[in-house]
Amino acid sequence: MTKTVNLFIKPSQPALAIRDRIVEFLQPHGFRISPVYLDDADYNVVIGGDGTFLHAVHKSSFSTIPFCGINTGTLGFFQESDLQTLDKNLKKLVEGNYHVDKLLLVEAEIETSSWTYHRWCVNEFSVQSSKRKTVHFTLSVDNIPLLHLAGDGLIVSTPSGSTAYNLSSGGSILYQTLKGYQVTPLNQLRSKTYEALPSSIVLPSSAETVVSFPPDEKDKAILVTDGMEEHFLGLKKISFRQTDKIIHRILFNSNWYWYNLKDKLIGS
Ligand code: NAD
């Protein structure tokens, strides 16, 4: 039976060369390669770095078709394959010799004075000051106001995003398919005047985290979703929760998570 692959490519010479090799390898095995997104395809193949992977997931509106990443970037944390392993892994793809893992996303409900918006992230949301000034907000969990915080803002990261901005900001690494999410403060002000979180918090998937802003801060904060910045005017509060929305990722080696951590993060 013909299988269809949606291709997402970073516009770079190495990525285009890999595209040609994929087409040469898969077409003789009866695969159809589509440069545009088809929602009845069998695979989403993304050639590039982590930024390309994140962009492909957003561009496909969090497609439920499994993603297979091929790294041409420097780190490539989402991608198991690269130029060296490409042929071996394409053969496994043709044979159906792979696992699919599920990466849970986090949703943000953004309430402004005029509208309520919804966004989803693969890595993280970060709430930050738009004016390079201190941002003040209240952090509540499950309707309980925990703290009034001030500083650069905070990060709400998924388990698979925990190794990105979250880790650089002092958060912990969470196993990629774990249920739950993490809240990590960004450069909190520390003095008698301000409350502060002593560390990041790991929450269960059922928890709702709310960041609410006093009226005089309503136009000060921005929301950054997987690196994409948005300014919501009249911002009142942002509620974060883990939903059932997931993306699927193809893995050719079931122990790859640990090799990936060792090779790309902790072994360096
Ligand atoms: P990008 O693609 O250049 O990514 C920035 C760096 O983050 C790259 O080295 C990338 O390999 C790495 N990265 C991305 N996702 C990762 C993950 N899940 N685990 C480990 N490393 C990961 O830039 P972009 O297109 O703007 O990507 C957006 C991402 O950049 C954001 O989601 C955020 O996590 C990351 N970022 C990190 C910092 C920081 O660490 N100080 C600051 C801003 C943004």
Side-chain angles (χ1 to χ4, degrees):
M1 206 177 71
T2 307
K3 299 245 180 188
T4 304
V5 169
N6 291 324
L7 265 193
F8 297 85
I9 311 171
K10 180 181 178 168
S12 71
Q13 204 46 48
L16 291 170
I18 286 189
R19 175 202 58 191
D20 294 345
R21 273 179 67 177
I22 289 175
V23 173
E24 261 173 47
F25 193 101
L26 292 181
Q27 269 182 347
H29 288 92
F31 279 64
R32 189 163 58 120
I33 314 291
S34 175
V36 292
Y37 181 77
L38 302 174
D39 56 15
D40 61 348
D42 300 279
Y43 305 108
N44 289 319
V45 172
V46 186
I47 313 169
D50 287 321
T52 314
F53 188 88
L54 294 170
H55 186 69
V57 175
H58 281 271
K59 200 174 165 209
S60 68
S61 302
F62 309 97
S63 168
T64 53
I65 300 167
F67 285 88
C68 175
I70 299 160
N71 185 36
T72 60
T74 41
L75 187 65
F77 209 76
F78 280 105
Q79 298 92 348
E80 183 180 358
S81 303
D82 56 18
L83 196 55
Q84 281 71 44
T85 55
L86 183 64
D87 289 355
K88 186 179 72 178
N89 289 342
L90 284 177
K91 188 165 173 285
K92 289 186 177 178
L93 188 76
V94 169
E95 293 164 352
N97 183 9
Y98 56 79
H99 310 262
V100 176
D101 69 6
K102 293 176 179 161
L103 304 181
L104 288 134
L105 310 180
V106 170
E107 179 182 3
E109 184 179 283
I110 303 117
E111 191 182 317
T112 71
S113 43
S114 57
W115 198 253
T116 300
Y117 303 84
H118 293 265
R119 299 288 183 267
W120 287 266
C121 74
V122 182
N123 265 352
E124 80 287 292
F125 291 110
S126 61
V127 178
Q128 299 179 31
S129 165
S130 63
K131 300 186 173 131
R132 308 280 171 261
K133 294 202 166 171
T134 311
V135 61
H136 298 80
F137 54 94
T138 303
L139 176 68
S140 309
V141 177
D142 291 339
N143 290 320
I144 300 171
L146 288 184
L147 292 166
H148 301 293
L149 295 176
D152 284 353
L154 57 66
I155 296 174
V156 179
S157 81
T158 64
S160 57
S162 65
T163 43
Y165 195 9
N166 167 73
L167 183 65
S168 314
S169 310
S172 296
I173 298 174
L174 302 190
Y175 189 77
Q176 292 200 334
T177 52
L178 203 70
K179 284 191 174 164
Y181 63 98
Q182 187 169 185
V183 174
T184 303
L186 280 171
N187 298 320
Q188 305 175 90
L189 285 179
R190 291 181 188 247
S191 70
K192 277 187 183 169
T193 325
Y194 296 104
E195 296 174 321
L197 265 180
S199 73
S200 68
I201 317 179
V202 178
L203 296 113
S205 53
S206 59
E208 184 179 61
T209 297
V210 176
V211 170
S212 44
F213 302 92
D216 55 342
E217 300 268 319
K218 68 181 173 20
D219 293 326
K220 216 164 149 188
I222 54 164
L223 183 71
V224 186
T225 308
D226 292 338
M228 291 161 281
E229 198 175 302
E230 282 182 283
H231 195 167
F232 295 93
L233 288 178
L235 186 57
K236 288 181 168 172
K237 65 175 191 176
I238 309 178
S239 310
F240 300 95
R241 61 182 79 89
Q242 197 167 50
T243 60
D244 294 339
K245 218 186 233 307
I246 50 174
I247 57 163
H248 298 89
R249 184 183 48 187
I250 289 180
L251 287 187
F252 299 104
N253 175 351
S254 53
N255 291 324
W256 175 70
Y257 178 76
W258 300 110
Y259 288 120
N260 199 35
L261 268 194
K262 184 174 180 321
D263 292 349
K264 295 178 184 162
L265 280 187
I266 52 182
S268 54

